[in-house]
Amino acid sequence: MPTKARITALRCAPVRFQGQVRDLAVRWVLEEAGIAYDVRLVGPEEQNSPAYRALHPFGKVPAYEDGDVALFESGAIVMHIAEKTPPLLPEEPAARARAKAWVFAALNSVDPDIIALGDIDHFAADEAWAKQRRPALAAMVQARLDAVAAYLAGREYLVDRFGAADIMMIMVLTALRHTTMIADMPTLRAYRDRCEARPAFQRALKGQLDAFAQGVTSS
Ligand SMILES: N[C@@H](CCC(=O)N[C@@H](CS)C(=O)NCC(=O)O)C(=O)O
C-alpha cells in the first residue's frame, strides 16, 4: 500500500460531468488538510479488474489508499481525512456528532433525489415517462434545498465553521449545475459561492479539470 495518499479518478468523462465527479470531494478535503496525494486515473477496463474491485467493490471512483487504510465512498474518505484534521470536524462531541449528521444528510437526504433528477435530465429527457416524472422529482429536490437553505439562514456553514459537512453538501449540490435551482436561491447560492471560493476547492477543481484535459496522472 502506498505511504503517500493516493486517490483514483476517472481518465475520461463527458464535459458536462467534469468538475462534478466525486473524487472532487476527496481532492478538496486533502487540499484543505494540506496532505500531498497522487492521483491514479482509471478507465472501464481497470475499473472492472479484480485488483480494482478489491479496492472499490463497485468499480467506481474515488478510491483512496494511504499507509494505513484502503477506502471507497467519497463520504467515508472525507470523514477519514477530516477525523485527522481538527479544523474540518469540531472537537466538541456534540458539535462533532452534528457535523457527522450533516455529512449523512448530504449523502442520504439530499443526494438521492438530485441524482435521480440528473439521470432524467442527462439520460432520459425526451422519454415520455421522464416528462411525467420530472415535475414531482424537481419538487422533491426543491423541498430538500428549501430545508437546507432554511437551516443555513443566518449561518455561514452547516456546523460552526467550514468543514467536512460543507464539503459533502457542496459536492452533492454540484450535480444541479445544469439547472438554475441553486442560482435561484440566494442563501444557497451565497453558501455555495463562499465554499467554492476557498483556495483548496479551487485547487481541487483545477486538479480534476486538468487531469481530464491532459489525460495524465497528476499529484
Ligand atoms: N457513492 C459513491 C458514488 C461513486 C460513483 O458513482 N462514482 C462515479 C463518478 S461520480 C463513477 O465512478 N462513475 C464511473 C463509472 O460508473 O464507470 C461516492 O460518493 O463515492
Side-chain angles (χ1 to χ4, degrees):
M1 228 179 263
T3 47
K4 186 178 175 188
R6 182 165 75 172
I7 68 169
T8 62
L10 295 179
R11 184 171 290 116
C12 301
V15 171
R16 65 184 186 277
F17 297 131
Q18 296 184 9
Q20 64 183 66
V21 183
R22 291 281 162 116
D23 59 278
L24 181 64
V26 175
R27 293 175 187 264
W28 189 2
V29 75
L30 287 164
E31 295 284 351
E32 293 281 356
I35 297 172
Y37 57 99
D38 289 324
V39 182
R40 174 176 148 212
L41 301 178
V42 297
E45 198 175 322
E46 190 168 1
Q47 287 167 252
N48 287 316
S49 69
Y52 193 73
R53 291 281 170 152
L55 182 60
H56 195 311
F58 302 102
K60 305 285 186 185
V61 305
Y64 170 88
E65 294 168 279
D66 67 25
D68 301 310
V69 295
L71 283 177
F72 59 101
E73 285 296 333
S74 57
I77 302 166
V78 165
M79 284 301 302
H80 171 69
I81 305 299
E83 297 267 8
K84 304 192 291 188
T85 312
L88 297 177
L89 268 186
E91 297 281 353
E92 195 274 314
R96 197 175 182 90
R98 198 146 181 92
K100 290 179 183 175
W102 272 111
V103 170
F104 277 92
L107 292 167
N108 226 15
S109 293
V110 181
D111 196 33
D113 291 337
I114 290 180
I115 295 283
L117 190 68
D119 282 348
I120 281 185
D121 291 349
H122 294 302
F123 304 117
D126 294 332
E127 304 283 343
W129 67 263
K131 291 190 169 94
Q132 217 172 14
R133 175 72 180 134
R134 194 183 192 284
L137 199 46
M140 282 156 58
V141 170
Q142 188 61 56
R144 299 297 188 178
L145 298 182
D146 287 344
V148 176
Y151 186 82
L152 276 171
R155 289 183 167 92
E156 289 210 327
Y157 301 110
L158 289 168
V159 184
D160 299 341
R161 60 186 176 197
F162 176 84
D166 303 300
I167 290 175
M168 284 322 302
M169 186 62 77
I170 295 296
M171 180 76 255
V172 162
L173 296 182
T174 59
L176 287 172
R177 223 174 35 176
H178 67 290
T179 76
T180 62
M181 293 180 93
I182 304 295
D184 291 344
M185 299 179 70
T187 302
L188 276 193
R189 186 178 62 226
Y191 168 65
R192 178 200 62 191
D193 292 350
R194 188 156 53 241
C195 293
E196 291 189 355
R198 296 178 70 83
F201 174 85
Q202 292 299 324
R203 288 195 297 274
L205 180 62
K206 184 174 183 319
Q208 182 174 106
L209 297 180
D210 283 356
F212 283 132
Q214 296 159 18
V216 297
T217 302
S218 60
S219 60

